């Protein structure tokens, strides 16, 4: 992936952080799309980009890494 080390903090867009926060609250793509007035495909794109930036292999890992790095609360 991007080769992010443990000490580096990736820069997530405000929308990527917003989507990850809603994921952490248990919302699915459809629900997040409705809440943010975007399509579920756009939600998936934000999740995929955040996963890449965080070096995460799946959505759960992306949320966990974002929480650990205090990118979402």
């Amino acid at each position: 992936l991007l080769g992010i080390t443990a000490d580096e903090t990736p820069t997530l867009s405000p929308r990527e952080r917003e989507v990850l926060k809603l994921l952490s609250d248990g919302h699915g793509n459809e629900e997040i799309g409705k809440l943010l007035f975007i399509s579920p495909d756009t939600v998936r794109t934000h999740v995929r980009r955040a996963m890449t930036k965080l070096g995460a292999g799946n959505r759960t890992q992306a949320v966990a890494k974002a929480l650990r790095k205090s990118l979402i609360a």
Side-chain angles (χ1 to χ4, degrees), residues 3-35:
I4 296 168
T5 66
D7 294 337
E8 294 178 35
T9 301
T11 303
L12 297 180
S13 73
R15 186 62 104 182
E16 289 164 349
R17 288 197 313 272
E18 197 171 15
V19 168
L20 287 179
K21 171 71 175 105
L22 290 168
L23 274 178
S24 76
D25 291 338
H27 298 287
N29 291 341
E30 298 281 336
E31 260 184 305
I32 293 170
K34 286 178 184 167
L35 290 167

